[in-house]
Amino acid sequence: MAELIFTEDGAHPGLDDFRDLSTADRRPDRPGGRGLVIAEGTVVVGRLLASRYPVRALLGVHRRVRELEGALTDLDVPAYVTSAETMAGVVGFHLNRGVLAVADRPVPPTVGEIVDRAKVLAVLEGVGDHENLGALFRNAAALGVDGVLLGPGCSDPLYRRSVRVSMGHVLRVPFASFDAWPDGLDVLRDRGFRVAALTPRPDSIPLRGLRDQLPGPIALMLGAEGPGLSEEAIAAADVAVRVEMVAGVDSLNVATAAAIAFHEVAAG
Amino acid sequence: MAELIFTEDGAHPGLDDFRDLSTADRRPDRPGGRGLVIAEGTVVVGRLLASRYPVRALLGVHRRVRELEGALTDLDVPAYVTSAETMAGVVGFHLNRGVLAVADRPVPPTVGEIVDRAKVLAVLEGVGDHENLGALFRNAAALGVDGVLLGPGCSDPLYRRSVRVSMGHVLRVPFASFDAWPDGLDVLRDRGFRVAALTPRPDSIPLRGLRDQLPGPIALMLGAEGPGLSEEAIAAADVAVRVEMVAGVDSLNVATAAAIAFHEVAAG
């Protein structure tokens, strides 16, 4: 059982993990970054506790920590219980979700390890917006995508805002970064995957019915809203696919386009 | 041609439409609300200028107003040109999109008028989140939905944040509110529509393949993320449909679920 530690001492050294939250979640190679994984709110903290991420500590108001009691039974970490005011003082801003947990980053899987266990994958290039990335992971989890592979220009899925917007699903859907791009896509093809690039190019085929043509393992490759995928990425794909849209309307948000594509290939 | 009026006088009476923006967009029946429709940024302002909404005035920095020159040619409204500082003083906050336009609300169409011109419709119940509503209109525009019909509990699509998140598509996709609910759905059925309620209920049929069963005019009914549609709304539908999802994952964001459903029935 996690040890409940009641304190109103904002200087308590056990709370150090929770200070300056707006920089602590940066990757260790960034200024001020410690690479901590930070979960906010009972739903996301619950997912963190159930994940393979090594939890370091919890901090919350009593009511919220109590809501997590069941998940804390098998956990040997300190759970600091304070008032909302003390919590705000430590964290640096008022956090209305009332509970936080921090974890270390586990050793990430390799692209090959993810591909070996997957039938449907998402491959991203240049998705630098943390909210879009988080939303995409949430959609991937909901629609049965087995993993997310990150090409160049993608932001860190474990950044606090991504964790929050994903509702904690970045902690469940495995992800890995390519070492080589777009050559790394060969790892997928070597294991029987076909790579479908989402792009509005006129020579692309409609997404609808893609599954009839490509019933086997499939990787859906998406680029950022606006610029889209690079020429190199599209050239390295097996097929170019488009979400059919009304002419003259802006492209869809990347997480929304992804959800449509995930549903088309992964569901049912 | 719109008249360009250069002024740094923040008290200029012509700028009154742009004061206290954070309340002026409220519906006239709400405190401080004037019911003005406010567009921000060149893309959305351009859509407003091209819409049927009666534009009252523009306010922007010179560079942004110039970008809209082509759209202003046929327009007989004042376009106030100021510095970013004067603009911020008038508006009440710094607006980095650099240009605003205000318009009056036109007389809204009736549900029947929208239904008469539509083949695919969205019907919403309880979608009270302005960002979700705006995103849903954007997706409706992109995926060829002909109109949005609002049941009880929906927020105002012309609220400034909805306009912005929709990228101005609330000004293009027609919408109307039901007088009676859910009885108002009879208007759709009387005109040959089938109403499909999106709900995860176990007796629902999968969304995929819905078009094979219901090839004619169709209305997709969606409720808010979380509570979903009311029992009454589901009972009033012709068919219950679900987006197939992984068990134990939170429901999708309503605008995302809508995009999947719109693509399934409207595209291709």
Side-chain angles (χ1 to χ4, degrees):
Chain A
M1 174 71 194
E3 186 192 1
L4 294 199
I5 301 165
F6 292 79
T7 180
E8 295 301 332
D9 174 14
H12 192 301
L15 304 182
D16 287 351
D17 278 353
F18 300 95
R19 293 186 210 287
D20 303 321
L21 270 199
S22 46
T23 54
D25 57 338
R26 288 187 195 153
R27 291 197 312 235
D29 53 333
R30 301 291 169 84
R34 298 180 58 202
L36 294 178
V37 179
I38 297 158
E40 302 163 87
T42 48
V43 170
V44 180
V45 169
R47 292 211 166 112
L48 179 65
L49 299 180
S51 76
R52 68 194 185 92
Y53 285 65
V55 177
R56 296 165 60 97
L58 275 79
L59 168 64
V61 298
H62 200 196
R63 187 160 78 95
R64 296 297 172 210
V65 173
R66 250 192 347 238
E67 285 172 6
L68 289 158
E69 224 159 30
L72 292 171
T73 313
D74 299 328
L75 210 70
D76 185 23
V77 298
Y80 296 96
V81 180
T82 72
S83 63
E85 293 68 37
T86 301
M87 201 170 157
V90 171
V91 171
F93 51 88
H94 182 73
L95 196 111
N96 56 15
R97 285 181 179 78
V99 64
L100 288 165
V102 293
D104 288 313
R105 294 180 181 229
V107 176
T110 65
V111 168
E113 284 165 352
I114 290 177
V115 176
D116 278 340
R117 285 183 237 120
K119 293 209 170 70
V120 176
L121 290 166
V123 173
L124 308 181
E125 183 191 38
V127 179
D129 181 279
H130 288 108
E131 294 199 19
N132 284 345
L133 193 63
L136 193 145
F137 270 85
R138 177 183 174 190
N139 296 343
L143 296 163
V145 172
D146 303 308
V148 177
L149 305 178
L150 305 170
C154 293
S155 58
D156 174 15
L158 295 177
Y159 188 76
R160 183 165 55 95
R161 197 186 309 155
S162 293
V163 175
R164 183 175 67 227
V165 174
S166 83
M167 302 188 75
H169 291 299
V170 291
L171 309 171
R172 292 169 35 143
V173 178
F175 63 88
S177 295
F178 284 102
D179 293 324
W181 183 261
D183 297 348
L185 292 171
D186 289 342
V187 176
L188 281 91
R189 259 184 300 261
D190 292 347
R191 287 163 165 86
F193 272 76
R194 303 294 293 277
V195 180
L198 266 84
T199 168
R201 277 156 51 132
D203 59 343
S204 57
I205 62 167
L207 175 65
R208 181 197 290 268
L210 177 66
R211 235 19 186 149
D212 301 332
Q213 291 185 47
L214 299 179
I218 191 164
L220 295 162
M221 184 160 61
L222 296 118
E225 187 181 331
L229 290 168
S230 68
E231 287 299 319
E232 298 70 36
I234 296 171
D238 296 295
V239 58
V241 182
R242 69 174 178 277
V243 177
E244 289 188 284
M245 288 198 294
V246 173
V249 177
D250 323 79
S251 60
L252 292 162
N253 169 284
V254 62
T256 305
I260 292 171
F262 296 163
H263 179 261
E264 190 69 31
V265 307
Chain B
M1 173 70 194
E3 185 191 3
L4 295 198
I5 300 166
F6 292 80
T7 179
E8 295 302 333
D9 173 13
H12 192 302
L15 305 183
D16 286 351
D17 276 354
F18 299 96
R19 295 186 208 286
D20 302 322
L21 270 199
S22 46
T23 55
D25 58 339
R26 288 188 196 153
R27 291 197 312 234
D29 54 332
R30 301 290 170 84
R34 298 180 56 201
L36 294 177
V37 179
I38 296 158
E40 303 163 86
T42 48
V43 170
V44 180
V45 169
R47 293 213 164 110
L48 180 64
L49 299 180
S51 76
R52 69 194 184 91
Y53 285 66
V55 177
R56 296 165 60 97
L58 275 80
L59 168 63
V61 300
H62 200 196
R63 186 159 80 94
R64 296 295 172 214
V65 174
R66 254 198 339 246
E67 286 171 6
L68 289 159
E69 225 158 28
L72 292 171
T73 313
D74 299 328
L75 210 71
D76 185 25
V77 298
Y80 296 95
V81 180
T82 71
S83 64
E85 293 68 36
T86 301
M87 199 170 159
V90 172
V91 172
F93 51 89
H94 183 72
L95 196 111
N96 56 17
R97 286 180 179 79
V99 65
L100 288 165
V102 293
D104 287 314
R105 293 178 183 229
V107 176
T110 65
V111 168
E113 284 165 352
I114 290 177
V115 176
D116 279 340
R117 286 182 237 119
K119 293 209 170 70
V120 176
L121 289 166
V123 174
L124 308 182
E125 183 191 39
V127 179
D129 181 280
H130 288 109
E131 293 199 19
N132 284 347
L133 193 64
L136 193 145
F137 270 85
R138 178 184 174 188
N139 297 342
L143 296 164
V145 173
D146 303 310
V148 177
L149 304 178
L150 306 170
C154 293
S155 59
D156 175 15
L158 296 178
Y159 188 75
R160 183 164 55 95
R161 198 188 305 157
S162 294
V163 176
R164 183 175 67 227
V165 173
S166 82
M167 301 187 76
H169 291 299
V170 291
L171 309 171
R172 292 169 36 142
V173 177
F175 62 89
S177 295
F178 285 101
D179 293 322
W181 183 262
D183 297 349
L185 293 172
D186 289 343
V187 177
L188 282 90
R189 258 184 302 261
D190 291 347
R191 287 162 164 86
F193 271 75
R194 303 294 294 277
V195 180
L198 266 83
T199 167
R201 278 157 50 133
D203 59 343
S204 57
I205 62 167
L207 175 65
R208 181 197 290 269
L210 177 66
R211 233 22 184 147
D212 301 332
Q213 291 185 48
L214 299 180
I218 192 164
L220 296 161
M221 185 161 60
L222 295 117
E225 187 182 332
L229 290 168
S230 68
E231 287 300 318
E232 298 71 36
I234 296 171
D238 297 295
V239 59
V241 183
R242 69 175 179 276
V243 177
E244 289 187 285
M245 289 197 295
V246 174
V249 176
D250 324 78
S251 60
L252 291 162
N253 170 283
V254 63
T256 304
I260 291 171
F262 296 163
H263 179 262
E264 191 70 29
V265 308

